[in-house]
């Protein structure tokens, strides 16, 4: 069965989603909830990132059409109908081990986890990076203590490079897995929307 997601550019109206993603259940592997001022700054950065040229990175809201639903009004043309905002996914520029790369991150709200939505959204994101990006690799750094996010990387076609100490939040080393996706070559894993 196909998991259908659509990525929508992050906008001012998505702050509610950032607040939901700041709940303890969502930040357990990220050092805990952030104060309100940091959330406001994060919202500003997400909007600014999505206003830059596409190769600089993007944040997206993930829209999901539940199985059996037309992502439209029922006539198959995709112009209305039931969708749910289920989380976010994005990529941004960074230097990693002396090379210019992209880093990817995502989060699916608890009530929507376990449906393959993170892997589907990450796969759509990788298609966007292939179309618009200028860097050879996309890296993800889920904690070694986060099996679900590591499984998302595997399912989306990333290659595990090993364990690293990655700082998140900044200044706080966290044992993480370094996953890499080579943008320029076909990968295993899912196809977009699959």
């Amino acid at each position: 069965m196909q998991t259908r997601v659509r990525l929508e550019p992050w906008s001012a109206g998505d702050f509610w989603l950032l607040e939901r993603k700041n709940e303890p259940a969502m930040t357990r592997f990220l050092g805990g909830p952030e104060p309100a001022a940091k959330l406001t700054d994060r919202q500003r950065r997400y909007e600014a990132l999505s206003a830059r040229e596409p190769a600089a990175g993007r944040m997206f809201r993930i829209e999901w059409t539940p199985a059996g639903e037309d992502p439209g009004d029922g006539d198959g043309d995709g112009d209305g109908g039931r969708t749910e905002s289920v989380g976010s996914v994005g990529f941004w520029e960074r230097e990693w081990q002396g090379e210019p790369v992209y880093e990817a991150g995502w989060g699916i709200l608890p009530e929507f986890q376990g449906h393959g939505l993170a892997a589907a959204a990450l796969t759509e994101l990788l298609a966007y990076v292939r179309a618009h990006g200028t860097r050879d690799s996309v890296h993800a750094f889920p904690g070694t203590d986060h099996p679900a996010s590591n499984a998302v990387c595997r399912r989306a076609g990333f290659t595990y490079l090993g364990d690293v100490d990655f700082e998140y939040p900044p200044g706080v080393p966290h044992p993480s897995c370094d996953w890499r996706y080579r943008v320029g070559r076909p990968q295993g894993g899912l196809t977009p929307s699959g």
Side-chain angles (χ1 to χ4, degrees), residues 5-183:
V5 297
R6 186 178 72 245
L7 305 185
E8 293 292 331
W10 196 267
S11 70
D14 294 325
F15 188 70
W16 71 270
L17 186 55
L18 202 53
E19 291 176 310
R20 284 289 320 275
K21 288 182 53 200
N22 195 46
E23 294 171 358
M26 291 292 297
T27 59
R28 185 173 121 208
F29 297 101
L30 300 172
E34 294 180 311
K38 283 200 173 186
L39 276 189
T40 300
D41 182 58
R42 183 177 297 278
Q43 174 72 19
R44 181 195 54 75
R45 287 184 288 122
Y46 283 8
E47 288 181 48
L49 181 62
S50 289
R52 294 181 60 197
E53 67 279 1
R58 284 284 182 275
M59 285 305 299
F60 296 98
R61 181 183 69 252
I62 304 166
E63 293 287 314
W64 174 47
T65 301
E69 300 259 348
D70 171 27
D73 55 14
D75 62 5
D77 65 1
D79 65 353
R82 182 175 154 228
T83 61
E84 302 273 356
S85 295
V86 299
S88 66
V89 64
F91 74 103
W92 50 91
E93 299 170 317
R94 72 164 298 126
E95 295 286 320
W96 178 246
Q97 298 179 339
E99 293 184 36
V101 302
Y102 292 118
E103 181 181 344
W106 59 89
I108 301 293
L109 298 175
E111 63 269 28
F112 298 107
Q113 293 174 3
H115 298 283
L117 300 174
L122 186 55
T123 300
E124 289 292 332
L125 181 80
L126 294 171
Y128 183 92
V129 172
R130 278 192 303 277
H132 301 285
T134 58
R135 298 179 178 214
D136 182 55
S137 297
V138 179
H139 285 254
F141 301 97
T144 57
D145 58 347
H146 198 331
S149 282
N150 284 289
V152 166
C153 291
R154 189 176 305 106
R155 188 163 181 222
F158 281 68
T159 301
Y160 172 70
L161 299 180
D163 291 357
V164 295
D165 275 334
F166 188 77
E167 286 190 13
Y168 194 86
V172 179
H174 184 76
S176 299
C177 297
D178 182 3
W179 292 88
R180 179 183 65 208
Y181 182 93
R182 291 277 189 199
V183 177

